[in-house]
Amino acid sequence: MADPSTYRPKPGQIPDSPGVYKFRDEHGRVIYVGKAKSLRQRLSSYFQDITNLHQRTATMVTTAAAVEWTVVSTEVEALQLEYSWIKEFDPRFNVKYRDDKSYPSLAVTMNEEFPRVQVMRGPKRKGVRYFGPYAHAWAIRETVDLLLRVFPVRTCSAGVFKRSAQIGRPCLLGYIGKCSAPCVGRISEPDHRELAEEFCDFMAGHTGTYLRRLEQRMKDAASAMEYEQAARLRDDLEALRRAMEKNAVVLADATDADLIAVAEDELEAAVQIFHVRGGRVRGQRGWVTDKVEAVDTADLVEHALQQLYGDETGDAAQSGGSGGVPKEVLVPALPRAAEAVAQWLSDRRGSQVSLRVPQRGDKKDLMVTVQRNAQQALVLHKTRRASDLTTRSRALEEIAAALDLDTAPLRIECYDISHLQGDDVVASMVVFEDGLARKSEYRRFQIKSFAGQDDVRSMHEVISRRFRRYLLEKQKTGEWEPDQPQAQQGPQDSTQDDSTQDDTQNDEGDEGRPEAVGGPIDPDTGRPRKFAYPPQLVVVDGGQPQVAAARRALDELGIADVFVCGLAKRLEEVWVPGDDDPVILPRSSEGLYLLQRVRDEAHRFAINYQRSKRTKSMKAGALDAVPGLGETRKQALLKHFGSLKRLRAATVEEICQVQGIGRRTAETVAAALASAAPAAPAVNTATGEIIEDDDGTTAGTPPAAPGGEHRGKST
């Protein structure tokens, strides 16, 4: 590991001008390429105190052994040179999108004597017209099958073409009219090329003129009583319209645009691009990348633009398909050097390019769809990665090696605390077995021993309650005999644990409901055992304080065979009890990826529970205090009377008219509403107007603003 001070340039040596820089390792390999508006300011930021750098940046500068730079005149030139160097050197610390060449495109080989229509993958070739890319090859073949009826262009390979020419007999497509059979001379080379040009024009979106011409030919044939020819032209029109329906209009103003969306987490990001030509989606592609450098959404967008248009030139409207640069590029966030990037795109297109974030209308709605595709692509990528048995086994082995465990942790439990500004403090417990989530074992907790915000104390309480229940289960089966006063007190402390409650049915019980019913079955009760099995590893969401609290809770119960660690979110550091320094797993480590997935799942489960409790408390009203009145009958009362105010004014006889409400229940409801004082009305602070509710709830204090959800963590 190199010391950055050993290769730091001398003061005043770095020019204060735009440029591109390269970091090289001790073997001379380029490990990072970057650009800057001011080389002096940017490079100086790498040579500050290493503890102030982002973890990924610190790893890069300590891996490097030298830095060099090239001065350019403008930011646009810097952008172009950065792209060229990234493509040439493939630096390990730069963002690299994967799966760029895996999406199939519809290609027309205009560089051949007899152009051929085919599905093509890989880098683009000179003289070939491309349309797409498409998500699936079968989508291309369906479109081609419809269009070959009208444009019978050659689709066979060179070997089949040569063989048919030798024997003087076309293939099956030539006999059924889906190929003009240039191999046997049924059509001349100029006529076949013209047919291929018409095919390309239609795929490029120039459909209106051709459809009108075809429709006129059909009418002329019918007028001349050439009914068979008219019927064939009618069927051709129907085939073309079916092909057009596969690409519905999404932007009514015949826009040529590319829409780019990004979905990301701490380790990876997925990018989705929709190519819109003539108002229709003509292609779609997506990439996935590891976030090996400290990047945000703006940086990811800039890298995506470089990779998407780095080899493109010309106007997309003229090239057809997804080739070229469109008039508009819509992104979720503008790059930092937005003007320079827009100028770079304009130079590649040859005319002005609009780079912006859609704010309203159809374009914003379509961007939501692209964003949803990006999110699904990221989830699918993670699912495929997690479902690989070999990968999961390697991840567990890496965790065991990093934490110095005797065996791989086949059962991992993770705990997270969630609250809203100190209110509704809850916790979650998620379980992963063999590297896969076991949702039937999930549990959720309400913090009972104190009120307010204290994540460390909350973590101690949750771990204590969970493992008291574990010891109680062992005591019931005779596997454990209490020999320590603290451990003995835990399982018998029913007032704190509510161990007799059926938490699979009571949402507001001690541990709440599991996310799915299942798990080991108790032979005595026939119900799933909740805490029967101990984990080999307990992961807490947090740093040293949370880890120490969890370890202290286990020590108080006399449990020494369960290992504890914490995952701090800021730098993704793994903390173990008693160590002042964290365990740093490599960014490419499958073990770190598994720990992060466990931590994120615990966070999701805790947040969902906390939000459900908040929603339920906000919706609570006077009817909730009526004994024996369930949710169905509450809704029936409110639906019948329209509001709580009208229900409060109703007589017992009027309440009895509601279906399912007897006289005794009606009297109870009337008495409860009469004794409950109406809540004070809410007031609009801007106008002074009193807000009246018509939906049966009392307007009160507004909910907390978005972003108020807090999970205090010490890292």
Side-chain angles (χ1 to χ4, degrees), residues 45 107 115 141 294 465 492 536 567:
S45 67
R141 296 188 179 96
R465 285 163 55 183
Q492 296 175 351
Q536 286 81 43
L567 187 60

Side-chain angles (χ1 to χ4, degrees), residues 385-419:
R385 188 174 179 180
S387 62
D388 183 7
L389 178 60
T390 304
T391 302
R392 298 201 312 271
S393 300
R394 185 166 63 251
L396 294 174
E397 290 171 359
E398 289 179 0
I399 293 174
L403 300 180
D404 198 21
L405 303 179
D406 295 333
T407 59
L410 299 182
R411 180 182 172 102
I412 301 175
E413 293 181 2
C414 185
Y415 297 83
D416 186 27
I417 308 297
S418 179
H419 57 82

Side-chain angles (χ1 to χ4, degrees), residues 13 126 153 220 278 327 343 350 353 356 365 459 597 661 670 679 686 696:
Q13 186 178 359
K126 187 176 181 180
V153 187
D220 293 342
K327 185 177 181 180
Q343 183 60 48
V353 174
R356 61 189 183 87
D365 294 340
M459 186 63 70
R597 198 155 58 89
I661 303 296

